[in-house]
Structures are given as structure tokens and as C-alpha cells.
Amino acid sequence: MKRPHRQRRSTSADPVIPEDVPTELPANLKRKVAAKRPILGHVVPKGSISRKLKPTDLSRGGSDAAQLRPQGQSRDTQRYNNPSNLKILGGTARGRKLESPTVYLRPMMGKVKEAVYSTFTSFGLYDDVGGNINSCKTRHLDIFSGSGSVGLESLSRGARHCTFVDMSMDCCSTAERNIERCGFDGWVEGGIGSGIGDEGEPQARVVCADAFRALREPETVGINPDATYDLVTLCPPYEEIVYADLIDAVANSVLVGEDTVILIEYPVELGSLPHVIAREDGGALVGIRNRKYGRTVIAMYIVNPTGARETAESRPEEFISL
């Protein structure tokens, strides 16, 4: 049974929806993907012998090679190094180091994050950034937020507000500490033209909840379903979700509106995401970027594009192959 939809925020221009949009997602997205990753520094014991071996020596396997730790499980903070040495790359908090949770995470690589935010900036998401937190109107929803590094980068570059969603209490606590560390614990004024109520909202908010529930039933986890977001980022644990379910949840969420930009991170093993994704209300997500960085792929979509984001043009050629 299809879920009822609330009226979404509209603009003066009519959305430009491609014709003949497939209603079914490809079969490769409907099953969990096997996306094993090689040993990385942030999941290898400090004193592991594998750190002393050459890359060619690791192929021999055996007890000499360090074990890959599963994402999301607790790490021994006394034995294992800081997961990623995360820091803010640009904006008002540039260079600020971030705390990492005590669970194993694979955060967005620095070079990828730099490229992503360069693209977001070109879309005009951080236009009108001035000397106060009310200048930029962009509201960001960071799903699978982990330490909060993706959303904090957005706030540093001028986003008006960011909601961080993660189901791990450890990650949520870490994100809250990082918000305070970066100085993003202020208050945003509401009122006419703000898209939020008169009472305003915190500059950053952490919600400890299941990602799918937050997207499908935001009011049940304390997210205002009437305040839509301009930017949604989804960086899930590759092997723990079914991408078809995730795409359906975000595409049909009441939290997105016309010209909302959606980022989906996925592994190259999944194959390319489709260029256009149908919505239950007859609208669509149109692919505007699909770039590969090693074995990580970043896809960006725009919801029911009106043409207001002139540089966020449709790029079907990027969704053909990886």
C-alpha cells in the first residue's frame, strides 16, 4: 500500500520531469551487495606486523596479515589507532580536528569530500553566505552521519542548519561533541521566508534513530515533516543495507522538495545507479553527477528540478558505466 503524501513546497517554475521514467529499480539494487574492502590504516592495530610489510607481502595471507574489522562494531581504543584523523576541510571551521566514535567506521575520504563540496558550491547551495548563521538558507539532512563530518563540513561552509541521523548512540554522542567543538551549537531564527516556524531551530541537531524510519516517518523521531531540506546526504554501510529500499525511502520522503539535492554514496561493486528514479507522486529524481573515486562512487540527484539550480543539469552519460 502506498503511503499518503503531504503537499510539498512549490516554486514558481514547473518541475522538468523526463518522459518514460522507469517505475522499477534495477535488480542489482534489490539485494545486498558484497563490497569487501582491503585492510585500511584505521582498522589495523598500531603494532600489527602488517604495517611493517610491503604491500606485496600481504598477499601471502596467514597470521602475519592484520584482520579487517567489521564496520559498526566497537574497537579497542587502547589498542587501535584513531580511525581517520578527521578534520574540517573548508569554511569557518577549516582545520578543526574531529573526534571519532569508538566503533569502526569508513568515513568519506578527504579528497572525495573536497570534490563533493566543490560541486555543492557550484550548485549554489552555499550562496549568500555572510557573517551570520542566517545568511545561507540551505538546510542539510545528514543520514548515517557517524561522527558528523559530512554535515559539519556543510555547516562550516555556510549551511543554515543540519540534522544528523544515526542509530548508534556512540556516533550520536560523538557528533554532539564535534558540533560543540566546531562552535555550531547556536540558534537559527525562524519567521517569514525561513521555511521553519517562528520559534526557529538549533543550528545543528542530532537524532538517534533508524535512517529508514527518519525518512519515512520523520515525525515519529522528532523531525518536523513540514520543514523540507535542500540537501540530503546518504553514506550508508555498504553491506548492511539494500540500496533499493534506501532509494525508495529518500525519493518519497516528505523531507525532500523541489530542487532538493540528494547524494548517495555506494560501492563500485553495485554497478551504476539509474539516471532517473521515479517517485510515487509522479515526480522523479534526475541524476546530475555520478563520479567514481577508486572503489567509491558518489551519485547526486535533484528532486523534481525546476531549473532554479542552473548548474545542476541532467547528465545521463555519467550513469551508463563506471
Side-chain angles (χ1 to χ4, degrees):
M1 186 177 76
K2 291 186 177 181
R3 298 180 294 278
H5 288 270
R6 292 178 176 85
Q7 184 68 34
R8 289 174 170 80
R9 184 175 59 193
S10 62
T11 63
S12 57
D14 292 328
V16 182
I17 307 299
E19 297 181 358
D20 301 322
V21 178
T23 56
E24 286 288 326
L25 289 170
N28 64 307
L29 305 182
K30 296 182 179 181
R31 57 179 179 268
K32 287 190 175 181
V33 61
K36 298 295 183 185
R37 290 294 179 261
I39 295 168
L40 299 178
H42 66 277
V43 289
V44 178
K46 283 183 177 179
S48 171
I49 191 171
S50 66
R51 288 186 176 274
K52 305 173 185 178
L53 298 176
K54 297 178 180 179
T56 53
D57 295 331
L58 292 176
S59 60
R60 70 173 185 250
S63 59
D64 288 343
Q67 296 295 314
L68 180 68
R69 266 68 187 182
Q71 182 173 342
Q73 292 189 13
S74 296
R75 61 185 173 89
D76 185 341
T77 56
Q78 298 299 317
R79 293 183 60 203
Y80 302 120
N81 59 321
N82 187 296
S84 48
N85 294 318
L86 293 172
K87 64 180 180 179
I88 303 296
L89 301 178
T92 59
R94 181 178 181 179
R96 192 70 53 87
K97 292 185 178 180
L98 303 177
E99 183 178 336
S100 297
T102 58
V103 296
Y104 291 106
L105 295 179
R106 293 181 177 274
M108 185 181 289
M109 295 182 295
K111 66 176 183 179
V112 178
K113 189 161 61 172
E114 190 66 70
V116 161
Y117 277 93
S118 176
T119 303
F120 286 164
T121 300
S122 74
F123 292 163
L125 286 165
Y126 304 109
D127 286 354
D128 302 320
V129 174
N132 63 75
I133 61 176
N134 295 314
S135 299
C136 179
K137 303 300 182 183
T138 294
R139 301 183 74 251
H140 184 164
L141 178 61
D142 185 11
I143 303 284
F144 303 105
S145 58
S147 66
S149 65
V150 174
L152 287 167
E153 189 73 39
S154 190
L155 289 171
S156 180
R157 293 171 187 253
R160 179 187 181 92
H161 167 85
C162 184
T163 299
F164 301 83
V165 177
D166 201 290
M167 68 182 300
S168 165
M169 283 295 296
D170 181 28
C171 289
C172 290
S173 297
T174 301
E176 288 176 342
R177 291 192 294 273
N178 283 331
I179 289 167
E180 185 175 357
R181 176 177 293 192
C182 293
F184 298 134
D185 50 355
W187 192 262
V188 178
E189 296 179 0
I192 298 175
S194 66
I196 57 177
D198 293 338
E199 70 280 4
E201 64 182 347
Q203 191 178 5
R205 182 164 179 248
V206 179
V207 176
C208 194
D210 175 73
F212 293 92
R213 185 176 180 184
L215 289 168
R216 289 171 172 155
E217 302 174 321
E219 63 277 7
T220 66
V221 298
I223 298 177
N224 181 1
D226 297 319
T228 55
Y229 291 85
D230 305 284
L231 174 62
V232 180
T233 50
L234 303 125
C235 303
Y238 298 156
E239 297 186 311
E240 296 177 27
I241 60 108
V242 175
Y243 272 85
D245 295 339
L246 180 62
I247 291 170
D248 173 75
V250 68
N252 298 296
S253 176
V254 297
L255 298 178
V256 304
E258 290 177 357
D259 294 319
T260 294
V261 174
I262 298 174
L263 175 148
I264 303 174
E265 179 182 317
Y266 66 100
V268 69
E269 290 89 344
L270 190 66
S272 180
L273 295 188
H275 170 235
V276 181
I277 298 169
R279 285 160 43 98
E280 292 175 355
D281 63 359
L285 274 61
V286 179
I288 51 179
R289 295 291 188 278
N290 193 46
R291 304 284 173 81
K292 184 163 72 80
Y293 303 89
R295 296 173 68 184
T296 296
V297 188
I298 299 293
M300 295 184 192
Y301 292 89
I302 187 165
V303 181
N304 293 350
T306 65
R309 301 194 188 281
E310 295 180 359
T311 58
E313 73 279 4
S314 173
R315 294 194 177 183
E317 69 277 6
E318 294 193 9
F319 290 81
I320 295 174
S321 61
L322 297 173

